[in-house]
PDB file of all heavy atoms in Angstrom:
ATOM      1  N   GLN Q   1      76.423  10.351 -37.266  1.00 92.00           N
ATOM      2  CA  GLN Q   1      77.886  10.306 -37.268  1.00 92.00           C
ATOM      3  C   GLN Q   1      78.414  10.135 -38.690  1.00 92.00           C
ATOM      4  O   GLN Q   1      79.389  10.776 -39.077  1.00 92.00           O
ATOM      5  CB  GLN Q   1      78.386   9.155 -36.390  1.00 92.00           C
ATOM      6  CG  GLN Q   1      78.206   9.379 -34.922  1.00 92.00           C
ATOM      7  CD  GLN Q   1      78.427   8.114 -34.108  1.00 92.00           C
ATOM      8  OE1 GLN Q   1      77.982   7.037 -34.471  1.00 92.00           O
ATOM      9  NE2 GLN Q   1      79.132   8.267 -32.997  1.00 92.00           N
ATOM     10  N   ALA Q   2      77.801   9.245 -39.466  1.00 89.00           N
ATOM     11  CA  ALA Q   2      78.251   9.008 -40.841  1.00 89.00           C
ATOM     12  C   ALA Q   2      78.096  10.262 -41.689  1.00 89.00           C
ATOM     13  O   ALA Q   2      78.979  10.610 -42.471  1.00 89.00           O
ATOM     14  CB  ALA Q   2      77.476   7.850 -41.446  1.00 89.00           C
ATOM     15  N   GLN Q   3      76.972  10.962 -41.538  1.00 90.00           N
ATOM     16  CA  GLN Q   3      76.741  12.187 -42.301  1.00 90.00           C
ATOM     17  C   GLN Q   3      77.807  13.239 -41.986  1.00 90.00           C
ATOM     18  O   GLN Q   3      78.360  13.856 -42.888  1.00 90.00           O
ATOM     19  CB  GLN Q   3      75.338  12.761 -42.007  1.00 90.00           C
ATOM     20  CG  GLN Q   3      74.239  11.909 -42.599  1.00 90.00           C
ATOM     21  CD  GLN Q   3      72.861  12.442 -42.289  1.00 90.00           C
ATOM     22  OE1 GLN Q   3      72.134  12.799 -43.201  1.00 90.00           O
ATOM     23  NE2 GLN Q   3      72.499  12.521 -41.008  1.00 90.00           N
ATOM     24  N   LYS Q   4      78.093  13.408 -40.712  1.00 92.00           N
ATOM     25  CA  LYS Q   4      79.085  14.404 -40.301  1.00 92.00           C
ATOM     26  C   LYS Q   4      80.487  13.987 -40.744  1.00 92.00           C
ATOM     27  O   LYS Q   4      81.239  14.784 -41.280  1.00 92.00           O
ATOM     28  CB  LYS Q   4      79.043  14.585 -38.783  1.00 92.00           C
ATOM     29  CG  LYS Q   4      79.989  15.641 -38.285  1.00 92.00           C
ATOM     30  CD  LYS Q   4      79.866  15.858 -36.797  1.00 92.00           C
ATOM     31  CE  LYS Q   4      80.880  16.910 -36.347  1.00 92.00           C
ATOM     32  NZ  LYS Q   4      80.857  17.070 -34.902  1.00 92.00           N
ATOM     33  N   THR Q   5      80.832  12.719 -40.533  1.00 92.00           N
ATOM     34  CA  THR Q   5      82.177  12.233 -40.840  1.00 92.00           C
ATOM     35  C   THR Q   5      82.494  12.335 -42.322  1.00 92.00           C
ATOM     36  O   THR Q   5      83.608  12.684 -42.704  1.00 92.00           O
ATOM     37  CB  THR Q   5      82.323  10.763 -40.375  1.00 92.00           C
ATOM     38  OG1 THR Q   5      82.084  10.733 -38.962  1.00 92.00           O
ATOM     39  CG2 THR Q   5      83.690  10.200 -40.687  1.00 92.00           C
ATOM     40  N   PHE Q   6      81.520  12.029 -43.176  1.00 91.00           N
ATOM     41  CA  PHE Q   6      81.742  11.992 -44.628  1.00 91.00           C
ATOM     42  C   PHE Q   6      81.096  13.158 -45.355  1.00 91.00           C
ATOM     43  O   PHE Q   6      80.974  13.135 -46.580  1.00 91.00           O
ATOM     44  CB  PHE Q   6      81.308  10.638 -45.200  1.00 91.00           C
ATOM     45  CG  PHE Q   6      82.051   9.493 -44.583  1.00 91.00           C
ATOM     46  CD1 PHE Q   6      81.372   8.514 -43.882  1.00 91.00           C
ATOM     47  CD2 PHE Q   6      83.442   9.409 -44.670  1.00 91.00           C
ATOM     48  CE1 PHE Q   6      82.064   7.444 -43.307  1.00 91.00           C
ATOM     49  CE2 PHE Q   6      84.130   8.361 -44.094  1.00 91.00           C
ATOM     50  CZ  PHE Q   6      83.446   7.388 -43.407  1.00 91.00           C
ATOM     51  N   ASN Q   7      80.680  14.179 -44.615  1.00 90.00           N
ATOM     52  CA  ASN Q   7      80.100  15.396 -45.181  1.00 90.00           C
ATOM     53  C   ASN Q   7      79.064  15.076 -46.262  1.00 90.00           C
ATOM     54  O   ASN Q   7      79.163  15.521 -47.400  1.00 90.00           O
ATOM     55  CB  ASN Q   7      81.198  16.307 -45.744  1.00 90.00           C
ATOM     56  CG  ASN Q   7      80.664  17.680 -46.078  1.00 90.00           C
ATOM     57  OD1 ASN Q   7      79.716  18.155 -45.437  1.00 90.00           O
ATOM     58  ND2 ASN Q   7      81.257  18.319 -47.054  1.00 90.00           N
ATOM     59  N   THR Q   8      78.088  14.282 -45.887  1.00 88.00           N
ATOM     60  CA  THR Q   8      77.047  13.898 -46.813  1.00 88.00           C
ATOM     61  C   THR Q   8      75.683  14.010 -46.142  1.00 88.00           C
ATOM     62  O   THR Q   8      75.595  14.409 -44.994  1.00 88.00           O
ATOM     63  CB  THR Q   8      77.268  12.455 -47.349  1.00 88.00           C
ATOM     64  OG1 THR Q   8      76.396  12.230 -48.461  1.00 88.00           O
ATOM     65  CG2 THR Q   8      77.062  11.401 -46.285  1.00 88.00           C
ATOM     66  N   GLN Q   9      74.676  13.691 -46.887  1.00 88.00           N
ATOM     67  CA  GLN Q   9      73.315  13.666 -46.342  1.00 88.00           C
ATOM     68  C   GLN Q   9      72.694  12.328 -46.741  1.00 88.00           C
ATOM     69  O   GLN Q   9      72.837  11.885 -47.876  1.00 88.00           O
ATOM     70  CB  GLN Q   9      72.492  14.817 -46.923  1.00 88.00           C
ATOM     71  CG  GLN Q   9      71.077  14.869 -46.410  1.00 88.00           C
ATOM     72  CD  GLN Q   9      70.307  16.013 -47.039  1.00 88.00           C
ATOM     73  OE1 GLN Q   9      70.811  16.765 -47.857  1.00 88.00           O
ATOM     74  NE2 GLN Q   9      69.056  16.130 -46.653  1.00 88.00           N
ATOM     75  N   LEU Q  10      72.023  11.699 -45.807  1.00 84.00           N
ATOM     76  CA  LEU Q  10      71.370  10.430 -46.068  1.00 84.00           C
ATOM     77  C   LEU Q  10      69.872  10.636 -46.229  1.00 84.00           C
ATOM     78  O   LEU Q  10      69.262  11.339 -45.443  1.00 84.00           O
ATOM     79  CB  LEU Q  10      71.617   9.432 -44.914  1.00 84.00           C
ATOM     80  CG  LEU Q  10      73.078   9.104 -44.623  1.00 84.00           C
ATOM     81  CD1 LEU Q  10      73.182   8.185 -43.421  1.00 84.00           C
ATOM     82  CD2 LEU Q  10      73.764   8.481 -45.824  1.00 84.00           C
ATOM     83  N   ALA Q  11      69.311  10.042 -47.253  1.00 82.00           N
ATOM     84  CA  ALA Q  11      67.861  10.047 -47.439  1.00 82.00           C
ATOM     85  C   ALA Q  11      67.293   8.873 -46.660  1.00 82.00           C
ATOM     86  O   ALA Q  11      68.036   8.018 -46.174  1.00 82.00           O
ATOM     87  CB  ALA Q  11      67.522   9.908 -48.911  1.00 82.00           C
ATOM     88  N   GLN Q  12      65.997   8.801 -46.556  1.00 82.00           N
ATOM     89  CA  GLN Q  12      65.385   7.628 -45.914  1.00 82.00           C
ATOM     90  C   GLN Q  12      64.069   7.351 -46.623  1.00 82.00           C
ATOM     91  O   GLN Q  12      63.229   8.231 -46.758  1.00 82.00           O
ATOM     92  CB  GLN Q  12      65.151   7.874 -44.430  1.00 82.00           C
ATOM     93  CG  GLN Q  12      64.783   6.595 -43.695  1.00 82.00           C
ATOM     94  CD  GLN Q  12      64.749   6.836 -42.202  1.00 82.00           C
ATOM     95  OE1 GLN Q  12      63.870   7.519 -41.715  1.00 82.00           O
ATOM     96  NE2 GLN Q  12      65.705   6.259 -41.499  1.00 82.00           N
ATOM     97  N   PHE Q  13      63.932   6.112 -47.115  1.00 81.00           N
ATOM     98  CA  PHE Q  13      62.684   5.729 -47.757  1.00 81.00           C
ATOM     99  C   PHE Q  13      62.472   4.233 -47.659  1.00 81.00           C
ATOM    100  O   PHE Q  13      63.372   3.486 -47.263  1.00 81.00           O
ATOM    101  CB  PHE Q  13      62.654   6.207 -49.229  1.00 81.00           C
ATOM    102  CG  PHE Q  13      63.753   5.666 -50.092  1.00 81.00           C
ATOM    103  CD1 PHE Q  13      63.574   4.492 -50.808  1.00 81.00           C
ATOM    104  CD2 PHE Q  13      64.951   6.343 -50.191  1.00 81.00           C
ATOM    105  CE1 PHE Q  13      64.587   3.992 -51.608  1.00 81.00           C
ATOM    106  CE2 PHE Q  13      65.976   5.835 -50.997  1.00 81.00           C
ATOM    107  CZ  PHE Q  13      65.786   4.671 -51.709  1.00 81.00           C
ATOM    108  N   GLN Q  14      61.285   3.803 -47.998  1.00 84.00           N
ATOM    109  CA  GLN Q  14      60.905   2.386 -47.930  1.00 84.00           C
ATOM    110  C   GLN Q  14      61.155   1.726 -49.287  1.00 84.00           C
ATOM    111  O   GLN Q  14      60.810   2.286 -50.315  1.00 84.00           O
ATOM    112  CB  GLN Q  14      59.424   2.247 -47.570  1.00 84.00           C
ATOM    113  CG  GLN Q  14      59.079   2.753 -46.201  1.00 84.00           C
ATOM    114  CD  GLN Q  14      59.663   1.889 -45.102  1.00 84.00           C
ATOM    115  OE1 GLN Q  14      59.659   0.665 -45.170  1.00 84.00           O
ATOM    116  NE2 GLN Q  14      60.188   2.522 -44.070  1.00 84.00           N
ATOM    117  N   MET Q  15      61.726   0.536 -49.254  1.00 78.00           N
ATOM    118  CA  MET Q  15      61.950  -0.244 -50.460  1.00 78.00           C
ATOM    119  C   MET Q  15      61.749  -1.722 -50.100  1.00 78.00           C
ATOM    120  O   MET Q  15      62.477  -2.254 -49.266  1.00 78.00           O
ATOM    121  CB  MET Q  15      63.369  -0.022 -50.993  1.00 78.00           C
ATOM    122  CG  MET Q  15      63.614  -0.683 -52.330  1.00 78.00           C
ATOM    123  SD  MET Q  15      65.203  -0.203 -53.019  1.00 78.00           S
ATOM    124  CE  MET Q  15      66.241  -1.475 -52.329  1.00 78.00           C
ATOM    125  N   ASP Q  16      60.736  -2.318 -50.677  1.00 85.00           N
ATOM    126  CA  ASP Q  16      60.436  -3.730 -50.371  1.00 85.00           C
ATOM    127  C   ASP Q  16      60.313  -3.976 -48.871  1.00 85.00           C
ATOM    128  O   ASP Q  16      60.917  -4.884 -48.331  1.00 85.00           O
ATOM    129  CB  ASP Q  16      61.491  -4.651 -50.987  1.00 85.00           C
ATOM    130  CG  ASP Q  16      61.538  -4.578 -52.496  1.00 85.00           C
ATOM    131  OD1 ASP Q  16      60.468  -4.361 -53.107  1.00 85.00           O
ATOM    132  OD2 ASP Q  16      62.635  -4.726 -53.053  1.00 85.00           O
ATOM    133  N   ARG Q  17      59.561  -3.124 -48.207  1.00 84.00           N
ATOM    134  CA  ARG Q  17      59.306  -3.213 -46.755  1.00 84.00           C
ATOM    135  C   ARG Q  17      60.544  -3.004 -45.886  1.00 84.00           C
ATOM    136  O   ARG Q  17      60.542  -3.312 -44.705  1.00 84.00           O
ATOM    137  CB  ARG Q  17      58.641  -4.545 -46.394  1.00 84.00           C
ATOM    138  CG  ARG Q  17      57.247  -4.654 -46.961  1.00 84.00           C
ATOM    139  CD  ARG Q  17      56.587  -5.872 -46.427  1.00 84.00           C
ATOM    140  NE  ARG Q  17      56.053  -6.606 -47.568  1.00 84.00           N
ATOM    141  CZ  ARG Q  17      55.591  -7.842 -47.496  1.00 84.00           C
ATOM    142  NH1 ARG Q  17      55.599  -8.468 -46.364  1.00 84.00           N
ATOM    143  NH2 ARG Q  17      55.134  -8.435 -48.568  1.00 84.00           N
ATOM    144  N   GLU Q  18      61.591  -2.521 -46.465  1.00 82.00           N
ATOM    145  CA  GLU Q  18      62.812  -2.203 -45.723  1.00 82.00           C
ATOM    146  C   GLU Q  18      63.011  -0.691 -45.746  1.00 82.00           C
ATOM    147  O   GLU Q  18      62.703  -0.029 -46.736  1.00 82.00           O
ATOM    148  CB  GLU Q  18      64.038  -2.854 -46.393  1.00 82.00           C
ATOM    149  CG  GLU Q  18      64.017  -4.344 -46.435  1.00 82.00           C
ATOM    150  CD  GLU Q  18      64.618  -4.980 -45.187  1.00 82.00           C
ATOM    151  OE1 GLU Q  18      65.228  -4.268 -44.380  1.00 82.00           O
ATOM    152  OE2 GLU Q  18      64.464  -6.183 -45.044  1.00 82.00           O
ATOM    153  N   THR Q  19      63.541  -0.142 -44.678  1.00 79.00           N
ATOM    154  CA  THR Q  19      63.919   1.258 -44.664  1.00 79.00           C
ATOM    155  C   THR Q  19      65.369   1.353 -45.107  1.00 79.00           C
ATOM    156  O   THR Q  19      66.236   0.694 -44.519  1.00 79.00           O
ATOM    157  CB  THR Q  19      63.781   1.872 -43.261  1.00 79.00           C
ATOM    158  OG1 THR Q  19      62.419   1.757 -42.853  1.00 79.00           O
ATOM    159  CG2 THR Q  19      64.190   3.333 -43.260  1.00 79.00           C
ATOM    160  N   VAL Q  20      65.618   2.087 -46.165  1.00 77.00           N
ATOM    161  CA  VAL Q  20      66.991   2.248 -46.663  1.00 77.00           C
ATOM    162  C   VAL Q  20      67.381   3.716 -46.525  1.00 77.00           C
ATOM    163  O   VAL Q  20      66.537   4.600 -46.569  1.00 77.00           O
ATOM    164  CB  VAL Q  20      67.148   1.756 -48.117  1.00 77.00           C
ATOM    165  CG1 VAL Q  20      66.949   0.258 -48.206  1.00 77.00           C
ATOM    166  CG2 VAL Q  20      66.196   2.469 -49.046  1.00 77.00           C
ATOM    167  N   SER Q  21      68.684   3.952 -46.374  1.00 76.00           N
ATOM    168  CA  SER Q  21      69.181   5.316 -46.145  1.00 76.00           C
ATOM    169  C   SER Q  21      70.419   5.570 -46.996  1.00 76.00           C
ATOM    170  O   SER Q  21      71.535   5.637 -46.490  1.00 76.00           O
ATOM    171  CB  SER Q  21      69.528   5.509 -44.668  1.00 76.00           C
ATOM    172  OG  SER Q  21      68.411   5.297 -43.867  1.00 76.00           O
ATOM    173  N   PRO Q  22      70.245   5.719 -48.307  1.00 77.00           N
ATOM    174  CA  PRO Q  22      71.403   5.964 -49.170  1.00 77.00           C
ATOM    175  C   PRO Q  22      71.843   7.427 -49.088  1.00 77.00           C
ATOM    176  O   PRO Q  22      71.048   8.301 -48.778  1.00 77.00           O
ATOM    177  CB  PRO Q  22      70.867   5.638 -50.561  1.00 77.00           C
ATOM    178  CG  PRO Q  22      69.437   6.011 -50.475  1.00 77.00           C
ATOM    179  CD  PRO Q  22      69.014   5.615 -49.080  1.00 77.00           C
ATOM    180  N   PRO Q  23      73.126   7.682 -49.359  1.00 80.00           N
ATOM    181  CA  PRO Q  23      73.584   9.069 -49.419  1.00 80.00           C
ATOM    182  C   PRO Q  23      72.977   9.743 -50.652  1.00 80.00           C
ATOM    183  O   PRO Q  23      72.854   9.112 -51.708  1.00 80.00           O
ATOM    184  CB  PRO Q  23      75.110   8.950 -49.542  1.00 80.00           C
ATOM    185  CG  PRO Q  23      75.386   7.545 -49.906  1.00 80.00           C
ATOM    186  CD  PRO Q  23      74.213   6.726 -49.554  1.00 80.00           C
ATOM    187  N   VAL Q  24      72.606  11.000 -50.507  1.00 82.00           N
ATOM    188  CA  VAL Q  24      72.017  11.741 -51.632  1.00 82.00           C
ATOM    189  C   VAL Q  24      72.990  12.742 -52.241  1.00 82.00           C
ATOM    190  O   VAL Q  24      72.647  13.434 -53.184  1.00 82.00           O
ATOM    191  CB  VAL Q  24      70.697  12.448 -51.228  1.00 82.00           C
ATOM    192  CG1 VAL Q  24      69.632  11.414 -50.901  1.00 82.00           C
ATOM    193  CG2 VAL Q  24      70.906  13.391 -50.060  1.00 82.00           C
ATOM    194  N   ARG Q  25      74.182  12.816 -51.707  1.00 83.00           N
ATOM    195  CA  ARG Q  25      75.238  13.609 -52.347  1.00 83.00           C
ATOM    196  C   ARG Q  25      76.558  12.887 -52.086  1.00 83.00           C
ATOM    197  O   ARG Q  25      76.667  12.056 -51.190  1.00 83.00           O
ATOM    198  CB  ARG Q  25      75.239  15.044 -51.859  1.00 83.00           C
ATOM    199  CG  ARG Q  25      75.631  15.261 -50.442  1.00 83.00           C
ATOM    200  CD  ARG Q  25      75.747  16.771 -50.141  1.00 83.00           C
ATOM    201  NE  ARG Q  25      76.258  16.941 -48.806  1.00 83.00           N
ATOM    202  CZ  ARG Q  25      75.623  17.544 -47.831  1.00 83.00           C
ATOM    203  NH1 ARG Q  25      74.426  18.044 -48.032  1.00 83.00           N
ATOM    204  NH2 ARG Q  25      76.163  17.658 -46.628  1.00 83.00           N
ATOM    205  N   ALA Q  26      77.529  13.206 -52.885  1.00 83.00           N
ATOM    206  CA  ALA Q  26      78.827  12.532 -52.809  1.00 83.00           C
ATOM    207  C   ALA Q  26      79.413  12.594 -51.411  1.00 83.00           C
ATOM    208  O   ALA Q  26      79.317  13.620 -50.733  1.00 83.00           O
ATOM    209  CB  ALA Q  26      79.803  13.150 -53.802  1.00 83.00           C
ATOM    210  N   MET Q  27      79.986  11.489 -50.975  1.00 84.00           N
ATOM    211  CA  MET Q  27      80.648  11.440 -49.683  1.00 84.00           C
ATOM    212  C   MET Q  27      82.072  11.974 -49.843  1.00 84.00           C
ATOM    213  O   MET Q  27      82.685  11.801 -50.883  1.00 84.00           O
ATOM    214  CB  MET Q  27      80.664  10.015 -49.162  1.00 84.00           C
ATOM    215  CG  MET Q  27      79.265   9.475 -48.903  1.00 84.00           C
ATOM    216  SD  MET Q  27      79.261   7.755 -48.386  1.00 84.00           S
ATOM    217  CE  MET Q  27      79.577   6.936 -49.943  1.00 84.00           C
ATOM    218  N   MET Q  28      82.568  12.606 -48.795  1.00 86.00           N
ATOM    219  CA  MET Q  28      83.914  13.176 -48.832  1.00 86.00           C
ATOM    220  C   MET Q  28      84.735  12.665 -47.665  1.00 86.00           C
ATOM    221  O   MET Q  28      84.202  12.430 -46.584  1.00 86.00           O
ATOM    222  CB  MET Q  28      83.819  14.703 -48.788  1.00 86.00           C
ATOM    223  CG  MET Q  28      83.042  15.275 -49.962  1.00 86.00           C
ATOM    224  SD  MET Q  28      82.836  17.055 -49.854  1.00 86.00           S
ATOM    225  CE  MET Q  28      84.512  17.593 -50.092  1.00 86.00           C
ATOM    226  N   VAL Q  29      86.023  12.509 -47.902  1.00 85.00           N
ATOM    227  CA  VAL Q  29      86.950  12.087 -46.870  1.00 85.00           C
ATOM    228  C   VAL Q  29      88.000  13.206 -46.741  1.00 85.00           C
ATOM    229  O   VAL Q  29      88.522  13.661 -47.751  1.00 85.00           O
ATOM    230  CB  VAL Q  29      87.650  10.757 -47.253  1.00 85.00           C
ATOM    231  CG1 VAL Q  29      88.691  10.373 -46.226  1.00 85.00           C
ATOM    232  CG2 VAL Q  29      86.613   9.659 -47.431  1.00 85.00           C
ATOM    233  N   PRO Q  30      88.306  13.656 -45.526  1.00 79.00           N
ATOM    234  CA  PRO Q  30      89.314  14.704 -45.354  1.00 79.00           C
ATOM    235  C   PRO Q  30      90.674  14.301 -45.911  1.00 79.00           C
ATOM    236  O   PRO Q  30      90.948  13.118 -46.129  1.00 79.00           O
ATOM    237  CB  PRO Q  30      89.385  14.888 -43.827  1.00 79.00           C
ATOM    238  CG  PRO Q  30      88.096  14.368 -43.332  1.00 79.00           C
ATOM    239  CD  PRO Q  30      87.707  13.259 -44.275  1.00 79.00           C
ATOM    240  N   ALA Q  31      91.517  15.258 -46.120  1.00 77.00           N
ATOM    241  CA  ALA Q  31      92.805  15.049 -46.777  1.00 77.00           C
ATOM    242  C   ALA Q  31      93.679  13.991 -46.114  1.00 77.00           C
ATOM    243  O   ALA Q  31      94.337  13.217 -46.799  1.00 77.00           O
ATOM    244  CB  ALA Q  31      93.563  16.372 -46.856  1.00 77.00           C
ATOM    245  N   THR Q  32      93.695  13.929 -44.776  1.00 73.00           N
ATOM    246  CA  THR Q  32      94.626  13.022 -44.104  1.00 73.00           C
ATOM    247  C   THR Q  32      94.459  11.562 -44.508  1.00 73.00           C
ATOM    248  O   THR Q  32      95.395  10.991 -45.012  1.00 73.00           O
ATOM    249  CB  THR Q  32      94.534  13.169 -42.577  1.00 73.00           C
ATOM    250  OG1 THR Q  32      94.826  14.516 -42.245  1.00 73.00           O
ATOM    251  CG2 THR Q  32      95.495  12.258 -41.860  1.00 73.00           C
ATOM    252  N   PRO Q  33      93.295  10.941 -44.376  1.00 76.00           N
ATOM    253  CA  PRO Q  33      93.207   9.550 -44.812  1.00 76.00           C
ATOM    254  C   PRO Q  33      92.816   9.397 -46.276  1.00 76.00           C
ATOM    255  O   PRO Q  33      92.787   8.298 -46.800  1.00 76.00           O
ATOM    256  CB  PRO Q  33      92.150   8.945 -43.907  1.00 76.00           C
ATOM    257  CG  PRO Q  33      91.257  10.075 -43.559  1.00 76.00           C
ATOM    258  CD  PRO Q  33      92.129  11.300 -43.552  1.00 76.00           C
ATOM    259  N   ARG Q  34      92.509  10.493 -47.015  1.00 75.00           N
ATOM    260  CA  ARG Q  34      91.977  10.391 -48.368  1.00 75.00           C
ATOM    261  C   ARG Q  34      92.890   9.613 -49.321  1.00 75.00           C
ATOM    262  O   ARG Q  34      92.419   8.855 -50.149  1.00 75.00           O
ATOM    263  CB  ARG Q  34      91.710  11.778 -48.960  1.00 75.00           C
ATOM    264  CG  ARG Q  34      91.048  11.679 -50.324  1.00 75.00           C
ATOM    265  CD  ARG Q  34      90.780  13.018 -50.970  1.00 75.00           C
ATOM    266  NE  ARG Q  34      90.067  13.900 -50.077  1.00 75.00           N
ATOM    267  CZ  ARG Q  34      90.288  15.198 -49.985  1.00 75.00           C
ATOM    268  NH1 ARG Q  34      91.189  15.775 -50.742  1.00 75.00           N
ATOM    269  NH2 ARG Q  34      89.605  15.944 -49.135  1.00 75.00           N
ATOM    270  N   ALA Q  35      94.200   9.794 -49.217  1.00 73.00           N
ATOM    271  CA  ALA Q  35      95.109   9.116 -50.135  1.00 73.00           C
ATOM    272  C   ALA Q  35      95.020   7.606 -49.989  1.00 73.00           C
ATOM    273  O   ALA Q  35      95.339   6.865 -50.914  1.00 73.00           O
ATOM    274  CB  ALA Q  35      96.543   9.574 -49.876  1.00 73.00           C
ATOM    275  N   THR Q  36      94.575   7.123 -48.868  1.00 79.00           N
ATOM    276  CA  THR Q  36      94.467   5.696 -48.601  1.00 79.00           C
ATOM    277  C   THR Q  36      93.100   5.143 -48.952  1.00 79.00           C
ATOM    278  O   THR Q  36      92.980   3.986 -49.330  1.00 79.00           O
ATOM    279  CB  THR Q  36      94.753   5.429 -47.107  1.00 79.00           C
ATOM    280  OG1 THR Q  36      96.015   5.979 -46.781  1.00 79.00           O
ATOM    281  CG2 THR Q  36      94.748   3.953 -46.792  1.00 79.00           C
ATOM    282  N   VAL Q  37      92.064   5.937 -48.841  1.00 85.00           N
ATOM    283  CA  VAL Q  37      90.685   5.478 -49.045  1.00 85.00           C
ATOM    284  C   VAL Q  37      90.371   5.402 -50.526  1.00 85.00           C
ATOM    285  O   VAL Q  37      90.407   6.416 -51.225  1.00 85.00           O
ATOM    286  CB  VAL Q  37      89.689   6.395 -48.311  1.00 85.00           C
ATOM    287  CG1 VAL Q  37      88.258   5.970 -48.603  1.00 85.00           C
ATOM    288  CG2 VAL Q  37      89.960   6.398 -46.823  1.00 85.00           C
ATOM    289  N   TRP Q  38      90.039   4.202 -51.001  1.00 81.00           N
ATOM    290  CA  TRP Q  38      89.704   4.009 -52.405  1.00 81.00           C
ATOM    291  C   TRP Q  38      88.202   4.112 -52.635  1.00 81.00           C
ATOM    292  O   TRP Q  38      87.743   4.531 -53.674  1.00 81.00           O
ATOM    293  CB  TRP Q  38      90.175   2.650 -52.888  1.00 81.00           C
ATOM    294  CG  TRP Q  38      91.658   2.465 -52.856  1.00 81.00           C
ATOM    295  CD1 TRP Q  38      92.617   3.438 -52.875  1.00 81.00           C
ATOM    296  CD2 TRP Q  38      92.369   1.240 -52.774  1.00 81.00           C
ATOM    297  NE1 TRP Q  38      93.867   2.889 -52.801  1.00 81.00           N
ATOM    298  CE2 TRP Q  38      93.737   1.532 -52.751  1.00 81.00           C
ATOM    299  CE3 TRP Q  38      91.961  -0.089 -52.719  1.00 81.00           C
ATOM    300  CZ2 TRP Q  38      94.705   0.547 -52.692  1.00 81.00           C
ATOM    301  CZ3 TRP Q  38      92.937  -1.057 -52.651  1.00 81.00           C
ATOM    302  CH2 TRP Q  38      94.290  -0.744 -52.642  1.00 81.00           C
TER     303      TRP Q  38
END
């Protein structure tokens, strides 16, 4: 849902025995709420 909503892709890897999923490209917000989202 997050990938689709923010038009991004999440990676997945292990870091200190934790699975982390950072975005690997810039996240985007559509025009309607964009002016509000900092």
